Amino acid sequence: MTRTVRRIRRPLQGAAVGAAALLALSACSSSGSDSSAKPDSSGPGKLSGEVTVFAAASLKESFTTLGERFEKEHPGTKVTFSFGGSDSLAASITGGAPADVFASASPKTMKIVTDAGDASGTPATFVRNELEIATLPGNPGKISSLKDLTEAGLKVVLCDKEVPCGAAAQKALDASGLKLTPVSYEQDVKAALTKVELKEADAAVVYKTDVRAAGDKVRGVRFPESADAVNDYPIALLKDAPNTEAAEAFIALVRSAEGQKVLSGAGFLKP
Amino acid sequence: MTPPTDQPRAAADTLRGGPRRRRVRTGVPLPLLIPALTGLAFLIVPLIALLLRTPWHSLPAQLTSADVWEALRLSLVSATAATAVCLVLGVPLAWLLARVDFPGRGLVRALVTLPLVLPPVVGGVALLMALGRNGIVGQWLDAWFGITLPFTTAGVVIAEAFVAMPFLVISVEGTLRAADPRYEEAAATLGASRFTAFRRVTLPLIAPGIAAGAVLAWARALGEFGATITFAGNFPGRTQTMPLAVYLALQSDPEAAIALSLVLLAVSIAVLAGLRDRWMRAG
């Protein structure tokens, strides 16, 4: 008897597993499409639904604050962030990721999105960011200039040249005629900073805002060459935005005096 | 054993769509075939897509760039070194797990397989905490010998060995369990020490299993990304292996990333296909 029963069950189990796998696959492909806004009938101009914001990793702290503020000002809305390297985010957007707003750390990465026809309107520069040297607390290496980073024996990490913070660092180095061999080219600004926070590297060239966000774990050292490598941050509404109205309101908040106050509090420069 | 009754048989007929299906019983049942083929497609279609999207016209230029060869050379060297580390440390570990009964063996075995399921980035963070310049072991390596492992090729080898070792240990342990311990016992009764018995009897006996494990470990090490970028960083020629080069190329030059992926895919397939038939079956 057991044999017979088993013979029946096996194909059924196979089918069940297969069906589960198919369900999981189809769930993956359709995720996000039903998170679009459901217009609220309670009155015109009232915002609701989810706003999905793709933003550069360096905006994490200030945008999180702004998102909370937005949700409070517009009850019924929910701001969801995806923070990451600007290039990866741009690649996801051109690849069809369902997002409403893109805030990039460089015009170059924004151009990937506008070139693909995925932005609605012209992107606007909403802040600028300056580079700083992040070094260990107390600055044991006595680093006071970009040139000090070229000293032998000092472990310095830079962002990879492919990502905006690395491109900016390279620009600053080129402008000052310095040649710097780091121990590593990290994949994004947070990864570079983490290497210093963990004391694996002695210094990193990162954004001023990231140094400030790291608090006491690193010490920031300003350097004059950073003026040659200030990054513009553009923000844009996306063409296929599932929730255009709320997205526009979020962009307005970022560009408002209130939003600018939060951003400059995080160390960003005014556009 | 109770003899089969009619009831389950009838249930089976209903489930299979009637007794007429009974004559195709030797064939593959549809509820198995469909998910099986879907599963196959799921695994293969992305690889085909990679081939279809390969920029063949610019491929020669992409592949002859010095950076690609540097990354590929580093990948091959570090994966091979990591496999050597796995062999030296992993085979004795597998022997210990298979042949010596000690308290907490189950727990040790679970810990050994942990890197298999651990996200590689977590592995990289753990390695930093242990062997980083400020790590619990690493700070002494730095203070006593002036050795720092992060940002070095040795760091790449360690990261790769960390994620690849379980593949070797599991493979070798399985072979050891299947191998008859009486040969070793016979050698011992003939006067061989336990180590001699291991070296002269056990080792040749389980060689196919070791080879299979080594190939798996090598392939895993070759594809390692998360632990490497976390623990060893990214510097061309020193710590930038192929997977890292692919990831960073994708940020700005997808065509280059596809070309690099193709190289890695070709190398992996060549090694697995070339060695699988020879060793895996025996293992």
Side-chain angles (χ1 to χ4, degrees):
Chain A
M1 164 156 183
T2 41
R3 279 185 88 92
T4 323
V5 170
R6 216 178 274 157
R7 227 184 265 162
I8 303 160
R9 261 190 204 151
R10 277 201 188 144
L12 276 180
Q13 274 171 353
V17 169
L22 283 175
L23 275 176
L25 283 174
S26 59
C28 290
S29 60
S30 71
S31 72
S33 57
D34 43 41
S35 62
S36 55
K38 285 166 198 73
D40 199 328
S41 55
S42 63
K46 190 167 175 0
L47 302 170
S48 66
E50 192 175 351
V51 190
T52 308
V53 179
F54 279 28
S58 42
L59 291 165
K60 189 169 181 199
E61 291 78 12
S62 35
F63 265 38
T64 307
T65 309
L66 287 173
E68 282 162 11
R69 218 165 273 196
F70 186 82
E71 284 171 6
K72 206 180 274 176
E73 281 171 22
H74 304 279
T77 57
K78 168 121 188 53
V79 187
T80 311
F81 291 106
S82 173
F83 294 110
S86 298
D87 302 76
S88 326
L89 294 174
S92 329
I93 291 167
T94 55
D100 296 288
V101 178
F102 179 41
S104 152
S106 76
K108 193 186 127 224
T109 40
M110 182 56 87
K111 200 168 169 293
I112 298 171
V113 171
T114 49
D115 281 356
D118 287 332
S120 164
T122 320
T125 300
F126 66 103
V127 279
R128 306 165 79 209
N129 208 352
E130 207 176 354
L131 292 175
E132 245 184 28
I133 297 166
T135 185
L136 303 176
N139 197 357
K142 305 250 181 309
I143 294 158
S144 62
S145 71
L146 200 55
K147 193 172 179 301
D148 289 348
L149 295 184
T150 60
E151 263 172 44
L154 208 59
K155 283 189 197 309
V156 180
V157 295
L158 297 179
C159 295
D160 196 83
K161 286 163 199 142
E162 311 288 359
V163 296
C165 67
Q170 197 54 47
K171 216 160 135 191
L173 286 166
D174 290 346
S176 52
L178 291 171
K179 215 171 144 37
L180 170 60
T181 308
V183 288
S184 176
Y185 292 102
E186 294 293 315
Q187 75 271 32
D188 64 39
V189 64
K190 296 289 183 197
L193 188 69
T194 304
K195 291 292 187 332
V196 179
E197 285 182 20
L198 293 173
K199 298 190 171 69
E200 294 302 336
D202 300 302
V205 179
V206 293
Y207 295 123
K208 193 173 142 193
T209 52
D210 295 297
V211 173
R212 195 171 294 193
D216 296 337
K217 284 178 278 184
V218 298
R219 162 89 175 273
V221 177
R222 304 185 63 171
F223 59 97
E225 296 90 340
S226 64
D228 298 314
V230 175
N231 260 21
D232 286 349
Y233 280 50
I235 191 166
L237 174 71
L238 297 174
K239 207 176 90 227
D240 296 329
N243 194 357
T244 310
E245 272 182 32
E248 276 172 345
F250 182 78
I251 294 174
L253 172 67
V254 169
R255 300 184 65 189
S256 70
E258 189 192 354
Q260 290 293 316
K261 210 171 132 195
V262 171
L263 288 158
S264 57
F268 285 102
L269 307 171
K270 294 216 182 310
Chain B
M1 272 300 246
T2 38
T5 59
D6 280 349
Q7 235 174 339
R9 176 76 47 84
D13 288 346
T14 319
L15 286 169
R16 288 168 181 206
R20 64 194 162 79
R21 297 283 303 271
R22 205 175 285 162
R23 61 194 159 87
V24 291
R25 183 172 275 182
T26 47
V28 184
L30 217 56
L32 274 187
L33 191 64
I34 292 172
L37 291 181
T38 310
L40 189 67
F42 175 56
L43 294 177
I44 288 177
V45 166
L47 304 180
I48 295 173
L50 193 63
L51 285 176
L52 290 179
R53 292 291 293 273
T54 299
W56 297 105
H57 57 279
S58 65
L59 197 61
Q62 300 274 17
L63 296 188
T64 45
S65 92
D67 291 354
V68 173
W69 286 108
E70 210 162 39
L72 184 61
R73 182 194 58 85
L74 186 72
S75 273
L76 297 177
V77 168
S78 59
T80 307
T83 308
V85 171
C86 289
L87 282 170
V88 170
L89 305 178
V91 173
L93 181 56
W95 182 84
L96 205 66
L97 288 175
R99 286 286 191 269
V100 184
D101 204 7
F102 58 90
R105 184 162 71 164
L107 181 68
V108 173
R109 187 181 292 124
L111 289 174
V112 164
T113 49
L114 202 57
L116 274 184
V117 292
L118 211 60
V121 175
V122 176
V125 174
L127 284 172
L128 269 180
M129 297 303 129
L131 298 172
R133 191 167 64 159
N134 207 34
I136 55 168
V137 178
Q139 59 181 311
W140 302 112
L141 286 178
D142 189 19
W144 293 344
F145 309 106
I147 297 172
T148 52
L149 292 167
F151 312 122
T152 62
T153 307
V156 177
V157 173
I158 287 171
E160 290 181 349
F162 181 78
V163 294
M165 183 102 79
F167 286 87
L168 183 97
V169 174
I170 287 177
S171 173
V172 174
E173 198 209 339
T175 316
L176 270 169
R177 286 183 175 280
D180 199 334
R182 278 179 301 183
Y183 292 111
E184 292 160 48
E185 283 155 19
T189 58
L190 294 173
S193 74
R194 211 159 181 194
F195 182 62
T196 308
F198 170 76
R199 202 163 46 86
R200 303 284 295 273
V201 179
T202 317
L203 219 45
L205 206 62
I206 61 166
I210 294 176
V215 171
L216 275 180
W218 189 86
R220 178 67 188 89
L222 190 71
E224 214 302 305
F225 171 78
T228 311
I229 202 162
T230 312
F231 181 61
N234 167 59
F235 191 84
R238 199 186 317 145
T239 60
Q240 188 180 72
T241 55
M242 284 295 275
L244 272 60
V246 171
Y247 177 75
L248 287 159
L250 196 60
Q251 310 271 336
S252 64
D253 190 356
E255 285 205 348
I258 294 170
L260 289 173
S261 304
L262 198 70
V263 175
L264 205 55
L265 187 69
V267 172
S268 307
I269 289 178
V271 169
L272 286 179
L275 294 178
R276 195 181 172 93
D277 282 345
R278 196 150 143 217
W279 296 112
M280 300 282 181
R281 205 180 293 150

